[in-house]
Amino acid sequence: MLKIGLTGGIGSGKTTVARLFREHGVPTIDTDWIAHQLVRPGQPALEALIDEFGPGILTPAGALDRARLRAQVFADPGKKARLEAILHPAIFAEMERRLARLQAPYCLIAIPLLVETGARHRVDRVLVVDCPESLQIARLRHREGLDEELIRRIIASQATRQERLAIADEVVTNDRDLTALARQVAELHRFYRRLSAERTDP
Ligand code: ATP
């Protein structure tokens, strides 16, 4: 099965693009969703995080307090590396388990930090959702009411647009309305179907 890795900066439109592909019947795997599932109370990955960072990363109810974990890790590269050493192997193992169960000409795997985690080799092609930073900021302020300064810090901590575009096989430019986005996805869907057919029937 042809594996398309979907990536893009925060608020660029990855979730929206994945939904548009799903409307064409394309199976999608979301590594962000997997990451959330892996740190539910009682899961081994959460236990490993508590061992590493202490019970201060939990809410009073025993769930992971993301803001507290982020606050510990954000400014400390060593801690960030330890966090990733716990989470990334578990995420990619679960991704492979899900892939093994899929049957389709091609699938889409949303990997927000594809560049940052060096996950290029895990997919056959890379689809980048690209949009100007000003639009990322506007959409995130609208969706989550996030503070512009925080959004800029997160964007600065991620790979740059240029770094993403450098490894892109295809690019969706999400700088217009949803109709324009859906049109690009429909065209890509036809392209990926053709590619996957050529792979199975050269
Ligand atoms: P995150 O990195 O936070 O997971 P994302 O890359 O998945 O974000 P989306 O959630 O798809 O991005 O989009 C961010 C917000 O912008 C959402 O509220 C979405 O509905 C909106 N949005 C995305 N694309 C468009 C568009 N072309 N026109 C209008 N709104 C859009």
Side-chain angles (χ1 to χ4, degrees):
M1 185 177 40
L2 183 65
K3 291 177 285 195
I4 312 296
L6 172 70
T7 195
I10 183 169
S12 57
K14 301 175 295 293
T15 309
T16 310
V17 167
R19 176 176 56 75
L20 291 167
F21 273 98
R22 270 200 304 282
E23 287 174 8
H24 288 280
V26 179
T28 64
I29 294 173
D30 180 352
T31 55
D32 249 4
W33 186 84
I34 291 175
H36 276 74
Q37 298 304 306
L38 285 175
V39 294
R40 281 177 308 169
Q43 294 292 314
L46 182 59
E47 302 301 322
L49 290 180
I50 298 166
D51 287 346
E52 181 68 47
F53 299 104
I57 61 167
L58 297 177
T59 65
L64 179 63
D65 187 329
R66 285 165 201 286
R68 285 179 159 212
L69 180 61
R70 212 180 297 129
Q72 269 209 44
V73 163
F74 204 76
D76 186 331
K79 283 189 175 182
K80 186 159 175 268
R82 294 205 295 281
L83 171 68
E84 290 173 353
I86 292 169
L87 287 184
H88 291 171
I91 292 169
F92 288 122
E94 179 58 24
M95 178 189 107
E96 295 295 340
R97 272 194 290 278
R98 284 166 184 268
L99 272 172
R101 291 200 297 262
L102 289 184
Q103 274 211 326
Y106 80 94
C107 71
L108 201 74
I109 311 170
I111 311 179
L113 301 181
L114 192 148
V115 173
E116 295 85 340
T117 57
R120 173 64 188 88
H121 67 285
R122 297 179 183 276
V123 295
D124 299 307
R125 301 185 77 83
V126 174
L127 171 59
V128 167
V129 188
D130 183 56
C131 78
E133 195 173 301
S134 55
L135 270 178
Q136 284 175 279
I137 293 169
R139 287 177 185 147
L140 288 170
R141 289 183 78 171
H142 181 74
R143 188 186 67 186
E144 296 179 39
L146 285 185
D147 165 58
E148 177 164 346
E149 172 60 26
L150 176 64
I151 301 171
R152 284 192 189 280
R153 284 223 317 270
I154 296 174
I155 290 175
S157 76
Q158 297 188 334
T160 63
R161 279 175 85 182
Q162 287 68 27
E163 284 167 331
R164 265 185 230 104
L165 292 172
I167 63 156
D169 293 288
E170 284 78 44
V171 178
V172 168
T173 307
N174 187 18
D175 61 357
R176 293 175 56 203
D177 60 12
L178 289 176
T179 312
L181 192 63
R183 208 175 297 127
Q184 293 178 72
V185 168
E187 197 173 308
L188 280 167
H189 176 57
R190 283 194 293 277
F191 173 66
Y192 289 141
R193 283 192 58 106
R194 214 167 47 239
L195 265 189
S196 54
E198 282 166 11
R199 274 163 55 114
T200 49
D201 186 17

